[in-house]
Amino acid sequence: MDSYFIQQQHNNNNNNNNNTTAASAFDMLWSTRHVSPHSFTVFDTYFTALVDLGFLHQANYCFTKMKTFHVLPKTRSCNSLLDRLSKSGKLHLSKNFYEYDMIGAGIPLSLFTFNIMIDYFCKIGDMVAAQTMLVLVQMKHMGLMPDIYTFNTLIDGYGKAGLLDQSVSVFQEMKNAGCVPNVITYNALINCFCKFERMPQAFGFVCEMNDKGFKPNVIIFSNVIEALKLSDDMLQAGLKMNVITYTCLLDGLCEAGKMKDAEVVFKEALQNGITPNLGTYTALVHGHIKVDKMENDMQLLKEMKEKRH
């Protein structure tokens, strides 16, 4: 079906008449249902086109008509409307569509369906409901297993709600299920632990992230530095600093181009009796190159040479 035609039809009507227009278009399509053996697929196409064009209210109304005539859209098409409703800020409509329309009409639910609803419950801070959805996903008779998006959404949701122990519990459950954490996983953990000033754990995740080969982004290190007020507060927070943790912090600061902060941390490391290693100097050299201050690298290279002798 021509999406341009649909858009023109709806543009020519005000909001009060949109449902009437959707009903009229549906009735017109229904009258052609015997034209070919594939005619019923046009209803799913029409429903999908309404969703893609952003006519969400009309798509919802169209679903009601389709349910009445027993020509239901595909799960993928329903998920598309559910996702658009959730992202449009009309959260109550997405819940209603899920509970009363999709489940009520017997639409088969997919992992994407559950992921959308878990995200919905996390957004409104209802973590009990979000966890319940995860349990539903894990029910064997449904043949569904949570994926990385499922776990990341729950980790972030628990973290934002201040339920940090539950956030870590989901993180462990994720790893036990054989789902490998990614940069989004660590971002969520670090940000929430920084937000609630649990800095030893936050920095522990920064180091773990670094060990896994993921580079923390500028926002993460900005949050870490802001929360820590640099390394003095790490010590006060009970985090024992060594050459690895200092190098990890330096690497992130240099990657973010925060060379003044990096140089302060480097000096503090030396004052605390830390002997820099090759990784420490490499991070600083790369940082200076990044901000076009290569003249500082000569001194660092000289120091590196002296340390090796």
Side-chain angles (χ1 to χ4, degrees):
M1 174 165 296
D2 190 343
S3 294
Y4 176 77
F5 170 75
I6 294 173
Q7 187 165 24
Q8 288 300 106
Q9 287 291 101
H10 284 274
N11 285 344
N12 290 333
N13 295 274
N14 59 37
N15 290 334
N16 293 330
N17 294 328
N18 278 339
N19 283 345
T20 303
T21 303
S24 299
F26 181 91
D27 291 340
M28 180 183 69
L29 292 172
W30 183 252
S31 68
T32 67
R33 65 190 182 281
H34 298 304
V35 172
S36 81
H38 304 292
S39 293
F40 284 99
T41 61
V42 76
F43 296 101
D44 181 72
T45 304
Y46 176 59
F47 174 80
T48 302
L50 288 172
V51 175
D52 290 344
L53 291 168
F55 299 126
L56 307 184
H57 192 71
Q58 296 89 311
N60 209 340
Y61 185 80
C62 179
F63 182 91
T64 303
K65 293 281 288 184
M66 293 174 76
K67 186 165 63 170
T68 301
F69 287 95
H70 305 289
V71 284
L72 295 171
K74 298 174 184 176
T75 300
R76 183 189 66 248
S77 306
C78 292
N79 284 342
S80 182
L81 176 57
L82 187 65
D83 190 42
R84 290 289 291 268
L85 285 170
S86 181
K87 289 177 178 175
S88 70
K90 301 172 183 177
L91 297 178
H92 64 290
L93 293 181
S94 60
K95 184 184 178 186
N96 289 343
F97 181 69
Y98 168 76
E99 290 182 348
Y100 302 116
D101 291 326
M102 290 184 71
I103 293 179
I107 300 290
L109 306 179
S110 69
L111 179 58
F112 187 37
T113 314
F114 285 106
N115 281 345
I116 295 167
M117 292 310 299
I118 288 170
D119 184 59
Y120 160 79
F121 286 118
C122 286
K123 280 178 180 174
I124 65 171
D126 189 347
M127 296 311 300
V128 174
Q131 186 65 36
T132 301
M133 295 297 294
L134 178 62
V135 172
L136 287 174
V137 173
Q138 292 174 322
M139 291 173 67
K140 290 182 179 178
H141 73 267
M142 297 191 71
L144 299 173
M145 287 296 292
D147 61 8
I148 193 162
Y149 183 88
T150 318
F151 287 118
N152 284 348
T153 303
L154 281 167
I155 288 168
D156 187 58
Y158 277 123
K160 286 177 177 174
L163 302 169
L164 304 186
D165 291 341
Q166 288 91 325
S167 193
V168 173
S169 178
V170 173
F171 178 61
Q172 292 302 328
E173 185 180 349
M174 176 186 192
K175 293 194 286 188
N176 292 339
C179 190
V180 180
N182 62 11
V183 67
I184 296 172
T185 314
Y186 287 106
N187 282 356
L189 287 165
I190 293 164
N191 286 335
C192 70
F193 275 91
C194 283
K195 179 181 177 182
F196 291 96
E197 298 181 0
R198 285 175 59 175
M199 298 317 301
Q201 296 93 328
F203 199 70
F205 286 120
V206 172
C207 291
E208 182 178 331
M209 184 181 188
N210 197 57
D211 290 342
K212 299 290 184 185
F214 297 120
K215 287 290 183 184
N217 59 28
V218 176
I219 295 172
I220 286 181
F221 269 100
S222 294
N223 288 341
V224 171
I225 296 305
E226 182 64 27
L228 286 173
K229 306 269 194 307
L230 296 180
S231 57
D232 281 345
D233 284 357
M234 289 185 197
L235 296 173
Q236 291 171 16
L239 182 64
K240 186 177 179 181
M241 299 291 287
N242 57 30
V243 66
I244 296 172
T245 49
Y246 269 117
T247 299
C248 183
L249 180 55
L250 282 169
D251 190 41
L253 290 170
C254 292
E255 190 69 28
K258 295 178 175 289
M259 293 312 300
K260 287 184 178 179
D261 289 339
E263 286 163 7
V264 169
V265 171
F266 182 63
K267 287 176 183 176
E268 288 184 1
L270 296 176
Q271 289 169 4
N272 288 326
I274 301 296
T275 302
N277 61 19
L278 181 61
T280 314
Y281 285 112
T282 301
L284 287 167
V285 169
H286 285 168
H288 286 135
I289 292 172
K290 199 174 180 110
V291 296
D292 292 326
K293 287 190 175 179
M294 287 181 283
E295 64 274 8
N296 295 351
D297 289 339
M298 297 307 296
Q299 180 60 33
L300 286 171
L301 291 170
K302 183 181 176 183
E303 288 181 24
M304 283 174 63
K305 215 171 178 184
E306 290 172 354
K307 294 288 183 185
R308 293 173 69 179
H309 294 294

